Amino acid sequence: MTLASVVIVGAGQAGFQVAASLRQEGYDGRITLIGDEPGLPYQRPPLSKAYLLGKIQETNLLFRPAEFYATQRIELLHNQATAIDRVNRRVVLASGDAISYDHLVLATGAHNRPLPVPGGELPQVFGIKTKADADALAPLAKAARNVVVIGAGFIGLEFAAVAAALGANVHVLELAERPMARAVSREMSELFRQAHEQWGVHFDFRQGLSRIDGDNGKVCAVQTADGRVLPADLVVFGIGVIPNAQLATEADLAIENGIKVDANLLTSDPRISALGDVASFPCLQNDEQHTRLESVQNAIDQARAVASRLMGKPAPYSALPWFWTDQGDLKLQIAGLSHGYDSTVVLGSAKDKQLSVLCFRNDRLVAVESCNRMGDHMAARKILARAPKLTAAEAAADGFDLKAWEAANRD
Amino acid sequence: MPTLTFIEHNGTAHQVKGDIGQSVMQAATFASVPGIPADCGGACSCATCHAYVDEAWLNTVQAPEGMENDMLEYAFERRDNSRLSCQLIISQEMDGMVLHLPSSQF
């Protein structure tokens, strides 16, 4: 099967990587990469941390310089795909043009769930998704005295750490009872709660907001759900994302919490793949239930899988999920998916800010969360990539060392 | 612009120009040097930008510390001259530096 042309919609981490991997694998046909943001494709993780703090510059965000796209013959279009004509195998663009494809890749990502309260439209209210968001936010973050963060997930807490480091009073409102409640264990949440409080961040758990007040068009306060008024000159929210599945929905592709794909990352149309944040795939590490993961690792590994398949080497996608977040001097790394874990074993000490939490389900290791214990994280990735035989009792024994166990239990 | 030379495990050499202040990893990925996937983009979170600093250049770079050292513990075939290239920031003194790439990143 030789494909004359591959069209990729979405020039984020997943879309870029499909293009790069196709060329790396020797694909010689036409590659069109369509992105609706200006500039060259860039990485998003630093937007809510290092880039905001000015620790890295704009060019450090880029995946590749401009020459790469020319030499690799990757046609980068700054445009928006508005429709898929599956019968004629064409993507229609906002400019009115249409581009033919032999294979179409949907890497359309996700957008921030909007903040559904009065005042949410004020100019000092930010979600962080694009470089433009971060560029507009950075000067306000430096000048802000009172920052209210809505949502204590990865993005919210990364920003809270940045704002605290910049000297603002930071108040975080979170509907759940602890930080990163959907992503990490109670033990790890507690370590991060304490660290943020030491940095001066104030938490309100089980608390939402009812409105954001403005004065002459500028944010001046946030009203909590229980009726308190918090002074604010900047509000940043991170309350989850919504997959950008509209294009696929309108093209009648199967949808299930994002674009539904099979184990080979093919949509219900065999000439269309979907991957990354927008794709809901049967996840090996989640009992093959359809799962949508929002992570760099997922975008990159799925992109490699799609490129390999298009080059005639199909294989069911099975890569181990892993994640990271940097907050202040804490690096949290997670290997595996802890969904439904029923017991934990803790290594290290929260007091020293060096902690690993091993999550077990039915006495099988399913995930390892590590804070400032990179060795444990790397060992966990090796262990979890095979069917791990480590039991909770073994891990709980005095003097247990995850790295030593990994070294002793290689095949 | 300092020039760096990356030598793949199979002996293929790549001369790459880097900007002062840029990471060695980014200089390599910008030039599409094979063998440095650098999945996390330079956040010191993935250990897929491992390189060996040529012995003759070891005095030009600091020894790895903290997070990098911990990550390197799990890099494939770590040696005394192993570094994560995302943590090496290019300076004028590095002009001419040679780095060798491992046979595998993980």
Side-chain angles (χ1 to χ4, degrees), chain A residues 43 59 64 304 331 374 403, chain B residues 26 29 39 41 43 45 73:
Chain A
Q43 46 167 333
T59 99
R64 295 289 186 278
R304 289 178 181 141
K331 178 182 287 293
M374 292 77 180
K403 294 179 287 183
Chain B
Q26 199 187 36
T29 55
D39 284 355
S45 291
E73 216 176 322

Side-chain angles (χ1 to χ4, degrees), chain A residues 4 7 10 19 27 91 107 111 131 177 215 246 254 268 271 344 366 376:
Chain A
V7 173
Y27 177 67
V91 175
H111 62 277
K131 187 177 147 299
E177 60 178 15
D215 182 17
Q246 194 185 347
S268 50
R271 287 192 176 266
T344 58
V366 290
D376 280 357

Side-chain angles (χ1 to χ4, degrees), chain A residues 322-339:
Chain A
W322 56 268
F323 312 83
W324 84 90
T325 169
D326 294 319
Q327 298 168 28
D329 58 355
L330 304 182
K331 178 182 287 293
L332 171 62
Q333 295 166 295
I334 304 169
L337 297 177
S338 63
H339 296 332

Side-chain angles (χ1 to χ4, degrees), chain B residues 4 6-8 15 29-30 32-33 38-39 46 53-55 64 70 81-84 87-88 91 96 98-99 105-106:
Chain B
L4 308 173
F6 294 89
I7 302 177
E8 286 185 69
Q15 284 210 336
T29 55
F30 267 29
S32 299
V33 173
D39 284 355
C46 72
V53 174
D54 190 89
E55 301 287 343
D70 291 344
N81 56 341
S82 286
R83 291 298 309 260
L84 291 181
Q87 302 300 305
L88 289 175
S91 63
V98 177
L99 298 107
Q105 281 289 351
F106 196 61

Side-chain angles (χ1 to χ4, degrees), chain A residues 232-251:
Chain A
D233 38 36
L234 178 62
V235 177
V236 170
F237 63 95
I239 52 172
V241 298
I242 299 170
N244 294 328
Q246 194 185 347
L247 202 58
T249 306
E250 288 170 2

